[in-house]
Amino acid sequence: KNEVEQSPQNLTAQEGEFITINCSYSVGISALHWLQQHPGGGIVSLFMLSSGKKKHGRLIATINIQEKHSSLHITASHPRDSAVYICAVRETSGSRLTFGEGTQLTVNP
Amino acid sequence: DTEVTQTPKHLVMGMTNKKSLKCEQHMGHRAMYWYKQKAKKPPELMFVYSYEKLSINESVPSRFSPECPNSSLLNLHLHALQPEDSALYLCASSQVGSEKLFFGSGTQLSVL
């Protein structure tokens, strides 16, 4: 079992829909990251969370430390949001990031 | 400048070739990383440099040889690679001890 599990693996939405991607982890963490990767490779850091909720434009990330769960929400989705979204955690005992398998999001016009 | 620049963007090499991947940043970050990413898989950490010294080597085969000649540059020297080494190689940087990573766009490597 992966230490970081994401769901769904694949998600197709229509433009304008509200999207939620989930991340569950099984270890104690010091921080959780949400990353975005477009075709062609480059990774962009969207959020880094250790508690609570963060918002940036149409993106919202939440984390529940007790339940070891985080969600990434996209409001008013747009085709340019199509990308792979990756959850990654830094364990309290470690110096490395542990990545989830990613969620492939496709937003159709 | 908040960019991590990787060159080349694409590289095709034979198994007997020697090539190098280059990564550059001018954000004053003293931690730099190499990751390998196979298609539809998450990145895997290969090496970490902290203050220009190798601090983590994730049991990477010796055909991959990292080098950090100064605080802005990170190289990955490649020699006698195998076809299974074909992947996207990503460089990242951060302030030492900081959580926020800045990634480059990667070098897509094909080994024939």
Side-chain angles (χ1 to χ4, degrees), chain B residues 73-90:
Chain B
L73 269 178
L74 183 67
N75 299 319
L76 186 62
H77 302 298
L78 314 173
H79 175 52
L81 294 195
Q82 304 296 310
E84 60 264 28
D85 296 321
S86 299
L88 180 71
Y89 289 83
L90 289 159

PDB file of all heavy atoms in Angstrom, chain B residues 73-90:
ATOM      1  N   LEU B  73      24.516  25.997 -10.271  1.00  0.00           N
ATOM      2  CA  LEU B  73      24.548  24.991 -11.333  1.00  0.00           C
ATOM      3  C   LEU B  73      24.511  23.579 -10.777  1.00  0.00           C
ATOM      4  O   LEU B  73      25.169  23.274  -9.770  1.00  0.00           O
ATOM      5  CB  LEU B  73      25.839  25.125 -12.134  1.00  0.00           C
ATOM      6  CG  LEU B  73      25.845  26.032 -13.355  1.00  0.00           C
ATOM      7  CD1 LEU B  73      27.229  26.058 -13.960  1.00  0.00           C
ATOM      8  CD2 LEU B  73      24.824  25.585 -14.385  1.00  0.00           C
ATOM      9  N   LEU B  74      23.775  22.720 -11.461  1.00  0.00           N
ATOM     10  CA  LEU B  74      23.748  21.295 -11.119  1.00  0.00           C
ATOM     11  C   LEU B  74      23.786  20.528 -12.427  1.00  0.00           C
ATOM     12  O   LEU B  74      23.016  20.809 -13.335  1.00  0.00           O
ATOM     13  CB  LEU B  74      22.470  20.963 -10.347  1.00  0.00           C
ATOM     14  CG  LEU B  74      22.312  19.540  -9.841  1.00  0.00           C
ATOM     15  CD1 LEU B  74      23.347  19.237  -8.754  1.00  0.00           C
ATOM     16  CD2 LEU B  74      20.899  19.315  -9.285  1.00  0.00           C
ATOM     17  N   ASN B  75      24.715  19.604 -12.522  1.00  0.00           N
ATOM     18  CA  ASN B  75      24.831  18.780 -13.723  1.00  0.00           C
ATOM     19  C   ASN B  75      24.540  17.319 -13.398  1.00  0.00           C
ATOM     20  O   ASN B  75      24.696  16.879 -12.253  1.00  0.00           O
ATOM     21  CB  ASN B  75      26.247  18.874 -14.300  1.00  0.00           C
ATOM     22  CG  ASN B  75      26.626  20.283 -14.723  1.00  0.00           C
ATOM     23  OD1 ASN B  75      25.810  20.990 -15.296  1.00  0.00           O
ATOM     24  ND2 ASN B  75      27.852  20.687 -14.437  1.00  0.00           N
ATOM     25  N   LEU B  76      24.111  16.598 -14.410  1.00  0.00           N
ATOM     26  CA  LEU B  76      23.968  15.151 -14.286  1.00  0.00           C
ATOM     27  C   LEU B  76      24.667  14.536 -15.495  1.00  0.00           C
ATOM     28  O   LEU B  76      24.215  14.688 -16.626  1.00  0.00           O
ATOM     29  CB  LEU B  76      22.499  14.738 -14.243  1.00  0.00           C
ATOM     30  CG  LEU B  76      22.222  13.258 -13.963  1.00  0.00           C
ATOM     31  CD1 LEU B  76      22.748  12.857 -12.581  1.00  0.00           C
ATOM     32  CD2 LEU B  76      20.727  12.953 -14.065  1.00  0.00           C
ATOM     33  N   HIS B  77      25.789  13.881 -15.224  1.00  0.00           N
ATOM     34  CA  HIS B  77      26.575  13.266 -16.294  1.00  0.00           C
ATOM     35  C   HIS B  77      26.093  11.835 -16.514  1.00  0.00           C
ATOM     36  O   HIS B  77      25.881  11.081 -15.546  1.00  0.00           O
ATOM     37  CB  HIS B  77      28.065  13.289 -15.929  1.00  0.00           C
ATOM     38  CG  HIS B  77      28.585  14.666 -15.667  1.00  0.00           C
ATOM     39  ND1 HIS B  77      28.600  15.653 -16.625  1.00  0.00           N
ATOM     40  CD2 HIS B  77      29.092  15.223 -14.524  1.00  0.00           C
ATOM     41  CE1 HIS B  77      29.102  16.767 -16.110  1.00  0.00           C
ATOM     42  NE2 HIS B  77      29.406  16.527 -14.834  1.00  0.00           N
ATOM     43  N   LEU B  78      25.917  11.512 -17.789  1.00  0.00           N
ATOM     44  CA  LEU B  78      25.330  10.233 -18.167  1.00  0.00           C
ATOM     45  C   LEU B  78      26.336   9.438 -18.987  1.00  0.00           C
ATOM     46  O   LEU B  78      26.939   9.979 -19.926  1.00  0.00           O
ATOM     47  CB  LEU B  78      24.070  10.466 -19.009  1.00  0.00           C
ATOM     48  CG  LEU B  78      23.082  11.514 -18.496  1.00  0.00           C
ATOM     49  CD1 LEU B  78      21.978  11.758 -19.522  1.00  0.00           C
ATOM     50  CD2 LEU B  78      22.501  11.075 -17.168  1.00  0.00           C
ATOM     51  N   HIS B  79      26.498   8.166 -18.660  1.00  0.00           N
ATOM     52  CA  HIS B  79      27.460   7.331 -19.397  1.00  0.00           C
ATOM     53  C   HIS B  79      26.989   5.884 -19.375  1.00  0.00           C
ATOM     54  O   HIS B  79      26.644   5.350 -18.333  1.00  0.00           O
ATOM     55  CB  HIS B  79      28.844   7.449 -18.760  1.00  0.00           C
ATOM     56  CG  HIS B  79      29.855   6.519 -19.384  1.00  0.00           C
ATOM     57  ND1 HIS B  79      30.083   6.463 -20.740  1.00  0.00           N
ATOM     58  CD2 HIS B  79      30.674   5.603 -18.829  1.00  0.00           C
ATOM     59  CE1 HIS B  79      31.007   5.563 -20.996  1.00  0.00           C
ATOM     60  NE2 HIS B  79      31.386   5.019 -19.854  1.00  0.00           N
ATOM     61  N   ALA B  80      27.002   5.280 -20.560  1.00  0.00           N
ATOM     62  CA  ALA B  80      26.637   3.866 -20.688  1.00  0.00           C
ATOM     63  C   ALA B  80      25.244   3.590 -20.132  1.00  0.00           C
ATOM     64  O   ALA B  80      25.036   2.648 -19.355  1.00  0.00           O
ATOM     65  CB  ALA B  80      27.683   2.973 -20.008  1.00  0.00           C
ATOM     66  N   LEU B  81      24.295   4.424 -20.521  1.00  0.00           N
ATOM     67  CA  LEU B  81      22.921   4.237 -20.043  1.00  0.00           C
ATOM     68  C   LEU B  81      22.247   3.073 -20.739  1.00  0.00           C
ATOM     69  O   LEU B  81      22.688   2.617 -21.809  1.00  0.00           O
ATOM     70  CB  LEU B  81      22.111   5.509 -20.261  1.00  0.00           C
ATOM     71  CG  LEU B  81      22.524   6.733 -19.459  1.00  0.00           C
ATOM     72  CD1 LEU B  81      21.423   7.791 -19.510  1.00  0.00           C
ATOM     73  CD2 LEU B  81      22.837   6.393 -18.014  1.00  0.00           C
ATOM     74  N   GLN B  82      21.170   2.621 -20.125  1.00  0.00           N
ATOM     75  CA  GLN B  82      20.357   1.537 -20.650  1.00  0.00           C
ATOM     76  C   GLN B  82      19.027   2.081 -21.166  1.00  0.00           C
ATOM     77  O   GLN B  82      18.572   3.136 -20.699  1.00  0.00           O
ATOM     78  CB  GLN B  82      20.087   0.514 -19.542  1.00  0.00           C
ATOM     79  CG  GLN B  82      21.347  -0.041 -18.894  1.00  0.00           C
ATOM     80  CD  GLN B  82      22.170  -0.836 -19.886  1.00  0.00           C
ATOM     81  OE1 GLN B  82      21.643  -1.709 -20.575  1.00  0.00           O
ATOM     82  NE2 GLN B  82      23.463  -0.523 -19.980  1.00  0.00           N
ATOM     83  N   PRO B  83      18.374   1.366 -22.066  1.00  0.00           N
ATOM     84  CA  PRO B  83      17.069   1.853 -22.555  1.00  0.00           C
ATOM     85  C   PRO B  83      16.066   2.120 -21.428  1.00  0.00           C
ATOM     86  O   PRO B  83      15.264   3.046 -21.523  1.00  0.00           O
ATOM     87  CB  PRO B  83      16.591   0.731 -23.475  1.00  0.00           C
ATOM     88  CG  PRO B  83      17.862   0.119 -23.986  1.00  0.00           C
ATOM     89  CD  PRO B  83      18.838   0.195 -22.838  1.00  0.00           C
ATOM     90  N   GLU B  84      16.150   1.359 -20.343  1.00  0.00           N
ATOM     91  CA  GLU B  84      15.207   1.577 -19.236  1.00  0.00           C
ATOM     92  C   GLU B  84      15.473   2.871 -18.476  1.00  0.00           C
ATOM     93  O   GLU B  84      14.675   3.263 -17.606  1.00  0.00           O
ATOM     94  CB  GLU B  84      15.208   0.389 -18.260  1.00  0.00           C
ATOM     95  CG  GLU B  84      16.544   0.107 -17.612  1.00  0.00           C
ATOM     96  CD  GLU B  84      17.338  -0.977 -18.331  1.00  0.00           C
ATOM     97  OE1 GLU B  84      17.158  -1.134 -19.569  1.00  0.00           O
ATOM     98  OE2 GLU B  84      18.135  -1.650 -17.659  1.00  0.00           O
ATOM     99  N   ASP B  85      16.585   3.532 -18.788  1.00  0.00           N
ATOM    100  CA  ASP B  85      16.856   4.834 -18.179  1.00  0.00           C
ATOM    101  C   ASP B  85      16.120   5.962 -18.903  1.00  0.00           C
ATOM    102  O   ASP B  85      16.165   7.119 -18.456  1.00  0.00           O
ATOM    103  CB  ASP B  85      18.358   5.130 -18.200  1.00  0.00           C
ATOM    104  CG  ASP B  85      19.154   4.147 -17.366  1.00  0.00           C
ATOM    105  OD1 ASP B  85      18.665   3.757 -16.273  1.00  0.00           O
ATOM    106  OD2 ASP B  85      20.248   3.737 -17.804  1.00  0.00           O
ATOM    107  N   SER B  86      15.467   5.638 -19.997  1.00  0.00           N
ATOM    108  CA  SER B  86      14.660   6.639 -20.705  1.00  0.00           C
ATOM    109  C   SER B  86      13.567   7.148 -19.776  1.00  0.00           C
ATOM    110  O   SER B  86      12.814   6.354 -19.191  1.00  0.00           O
ATOM    111  CB  SER B  86      14.034   6.031 -21.960  1.00  0.00           C
ATOM    112  OG  SER B  86      15.025   5.594 -22.852  1.00  0.00           O
ATOM    113  N   ALA B  87      13.505   8.449 -19.606  1.00  0.00           N
ATOM    114  CA  ALA B  87      12.569   9.045 -18.657  1.00  0.00           C
ATOM    115  C   ALA B  87      12.671  10.569 -18.759  1.00  0.00           C
ATOM    116  O   ALA B  87      13.499  11.107 -19.491  1.00  0.00           O
ATOM    117  CB  ALA B  87      12.896   8.619 -17.224  1.00  0.00           C
ATOM    118  N   LEU B  88      11.836  11.243 -18.003  1.00  0.00           N
ATOM    119  CA  LEU B  88      11.936  12.693 -17.815  1.00  0.00           C
ATOM    120  C   LEU B  88      12.806  12.945 -16.587  1.00  0.00           C
ATOM    121  O   LEU B  88      12.539  12.381 -15.521  1.00  0.00           O
ATOM    122  CB  LEU B  88      10.548  13.305 -17.626  1.00  0.00           C
ATOM    123  CG  LEU B  88      10.480  14.818 -17.420  1.00  0.00           C
ATOM    124  CD1 LEU B  88      10.822  15.549 -18.714  1.00  0.00           C
ATOM    125  CD2 LEU B  88       9.090  15.212 -16.943  1.00  0.00           C
ATOM    126  N   TYR B  89      13.854  13.735 -16.742  1.00  0.00           N
ATOM    127  CA  TYR B  89      14.731  14.058 -15.622  1.00  0.00           C
ATOM    128  C   TYR B  89      14.455  15.494 -15.196  1.00  0.00           C
ATOM    129  O   TYR B  89      14.605  16.435 -15.977  1.00  0.00           O
ATOM    130  CB  TYR B  89      16.195  13.837 -15.999  1.00  0.00           C
ATOM    131  CG  TYR B  89      16.493  12.360 -16.113  1.00  0.00           C
ATOM    132  CD1 TYR B  89      16.205  11.667 -17.295  1.00  0.00           C
ATOM    133  CD2 TYR B  89      16.965  11.629 -15.021  1.00  0.00           C
ATOM    134  CE1 TYR B  89      16.401  10.302 -17.382  1.00  0.00           C
ATOM    135  CE2 TYR B  89      17.175  10.261 -15.113  1.00  0.00           C
ATOM    136  CZ  TYR B  89      16.889   9.605 -16.290  1.00  0.00           C
ATOM    137  OH  TYR B  89      17.078   8.249 -16.371  1.00  0.00           O
ATOM    138  N   LEU B  90      14.037  15.619 -13.954  1.00  0.00           N
ATOM    139  CA  LEU B  90      13.619  16.908 -13.415  1.00  0.00           C
ATOM    140  C   LEU B  90      14.630  17.404 -12.397  1.00  0.00           C
ATOM    141  O   LEU B  90      15.098  16.640 -11.544  1.00  0.00           O
ATOM    142  CB  LEU B  90      12.262  16.782 -12.720  1.00  0.00           C
ATOM    143  CG  LEU B  90      11.058  16.564 -13.623  1.00  0.00           C
ATOM    144  CD1 LEU B  90       9.911  15.953 -12.838  1.00  0.00           C
ATOM    145  CD2 LEU B  90      10.623  17.868 -14.264  1.00  0.00           C
TER     146      LEU B  90
END
